[in-house]
Amino acid sequence: MTIARKPRVVSLGEPAFVGNEYLAQFQTEFDYSVLPAKNREETQTLLPKDIKENGPIDAFIVRMGTPPYEPFDEDLLRALVPGCKIITSASAGYNEFDVDWMASQKIVFCNTVNAVAEATADMAIFLILAVLRNTTNAEQSVRSGMWRKGANLVPTCDPSGLTLGIVGMGAIGKYLAKKAAVFNMKIKYYNRRQLPASEETVYDATYCESLHDLLREADIVSLSCPLNAATMNLISKAEFSAMKNGAFLVNTARGAVIDEEALIAALESGKVQRAGLDVFVNEPSPNPYFLQSDKVVLQPHLGGLTEKAFQKAERECFENIRAFFMSGKANSPVNTKTTPP
């Protein structure tokens, strides 16, 4: 009698947050191992070697901390073909993954949907409060011994009663709306699709028919949409022109959602009073303007990087694989081409 083998699952590096008990249970259902590659070059060497020695990989996991490996394209992952059926990522954004190539190879690709959502929304709230309260200049005044002098530190802005315009009402946007309500902000949103009336009631959120409608009405604009061909430079000259004079801008999405040169012009003209940025076009080397400007609050892409988010993200990766091999359908596929196990 032939006994069907367990699907072989390999993680790119050791998942440090998923938990030993969770992994032990997962290994009762799957042949699980770790590829100890720390960067792109090591992956290109070790991945084909692992497959040659241990056989085809059915599922491949990509954890947080992807820059040393990027991009995740054919040149990096070709050794997985034709055996691999699913690749899962611990990140919500996936612009660093060649999803079209994966689809062409009938590999299902999954991102995480809920893992980093709340942590990223928390970062957005932090940046909203920071730009309203001018915390960059306030901190500098203390550190320099000036104590409240310069940069118009008093008075600053209260969030209560202001209109927060959320661009992208997915998981992150929904968490943000719920948290912003605590500060008595009015919530308006723009999305590819309007939420059902029942959800709008839950989040006390009003839909705007167009992006420019939202920009005209918002005191604070917060970006939480994915980066793709449709959202590249989504906020550019025309969009800044549509904003209220002295508006505030927060970006926890991806840097390239904003035309950074247009943002710099808007900051210099005063059209945008202050911006809070956790993401940049050129990471980890942002435009020098942002490093020098006192009109910007900066974070080094830390939105989803918390211990709880890491654990959720890693477990979402494993659960996508479990669902795929148990039911034939992953929980959060980005591409639509599937190969039933």
Side-chain angles (χ1 to χ4, degrees):
M1 180 177 67
T2 301
I3 300 175
R5 70 176 179 87
K6 295 178 182 179
R8 194 159 93 84
V9 179
V10 174
S11 173
L12 182 57
E14 188 77 47
F17 298 88
V18 68
N20 292 333
E21 289 185 9
Y22 180 94
L23 273 181
Q25 196 282 325
F26 185 83
Q27 287 176 293
T28 65
E29 304 171 64
F30 297 89
D31 177 9
Y32 169 75
S33 60
V34 171
L35 188 75
K38 299 180 178 63
N39 53 51
R40 185 178 183 87
E41 292 72 23
E42 290 184 8
T43 303
Q44 289 171 314
T45 300
L46 294 178
L47 186 57
K49 181 180 178 183
D50 177 273
I51 292 170
K52 183 178 180 179
E53 293 177 355
N54 302 300
I57 293 172
D58 298 294
F60 194 62
I61 296 172
V62 179
R63 304 167 304 113
M64 293 284 199
T66 59
Y69 307 92
E70 295 175 10
F72 290 87
D73 55 6
E74 180 181 6
D75 186 51
L76 180 69
L77 302 175
R78 65 165 61 96
L80 290 171
V81 178
C84 188
K85 301 172 181 66
I86 180 170
I87 296 174
T88 63
S89 167
S91 299
Y94 48 87
N95 54 292
E96 62 269 32
F97 291 86
D98 190 343
V99 178
D100 291 338
W101 174 77
M102 294 177 196
S104 75
Q105 302 302 314
K106 295 185 169 56
I107 297 173
V108 176
F109 173 75
C110 301
N111 68 335
T112 56
V113 176
N114 294 310
V116 301
E118 186 167 12
T120 304
D122 288 343
M123 175 61 77
I125 287 290
F126 163 75
L127 289 172
I128 288 168
L129 296 176
V131 295
L132 291 176
R133 298 301 294 265
N134 198 4
T135 58
T136 294
N137 287 307
E139 182 173 347
Q140 288 176 352
S141 75
V142 178
R143 291 183 182 276
S144 66
M146 296 294 288
W147 194 260
R148 293 188 193 168
K149 293 180 181 178
N152 299 317
L153 292 179
V154 179
T156 53
C157 299
D158 294 299
S160 182
L162 296 183
T163 296
L164 172 62
I166 300 175
V167 180
M169 198 67 166
I172 296 170
K174 289 174 182 176
Y175 273 117
L176 176 57
K178 185 177 292 187
K179 292 170 185 288
V182 175
F183 296 93
N184 197 32
M185 286 188 267
K186 301 171 185 176
I187 309 300
K188 297 197 174 184
Y189 75 98
Y190 172 70
N191 210 38
R192 286 180 300 169
R193 301 178 186 85
Q194 183 172 0
L195 298 178
S198 58
E199 284 197 67
E200 290 186 335
T201 299
V202 168
Y203 299 104
D204 197 16
T206 303
Y207 180 65
C208 292
E209 293 288 341
S210 73
L211 175 60
H212 280 220
D213 286 344
L214 177 99
L215 298 175
R216 280 190 287 267
E217 298 180 35
D219 300 296
I220 308 155
V221 177
S222 183
L223 306 176
S224 56
C225 53
L227 176 63
N228 52 43
T231 61
M232 179 77 72
N233 287 335
L234 180 69
I235 308 297
S236 192
K237 292 179 181 179
E239 288 67 41
F240 285 116
S241 294
M243 289 183 187
K244 290 183 176 182
N245 291 330
F248 299 91
L249 177 68
V250 164
N251 189 11
T252 57
R254 285 292 189 270
V257 171
I258 296 176
D259 177 347
E260 289 188 342
E261 292 303 320
L263 170 57
I264 291 169
L267 286 165
E268 286 299 293
S269 71
K271 184 71 176 184
V272 172
Q273 190 170 164
R274 278 186 291 277
L277 306 176
D278 186 43
V279 290
F280 306 88
V281 171
N282 295 314
E283 297 181 7
S285 302
N287 188 310
Y289 173 88
F290 299 127
L291 304 181
Q292 298 161 8
S293 175
D294 62 2
K295 299 177 182 178
V296 185
V297 179
L298 307 176
Q299 290 289 288
H301 204 154
L302 290 178
L305 306 187
T306 68
E307 289 185 353
K308 181 179 285 188
F310 273 36
Q311 183 185 71
K312 288 180 179 179
E314 290 181 353
R315 290 190 178 184
E316 273 198 49
C317 287
F318 285 89
E319 289 303 315
N320 262 308
I321 291 169
R322 189 196 304 277
F324 180 77
F325 285 99
M326 295 300 108
S327 70
K329 185 176 181 181
N331 295 326
S332 57
V334 171
N335 52 16
T336 55
K337 294 189 178 183
T338 60
T339 305

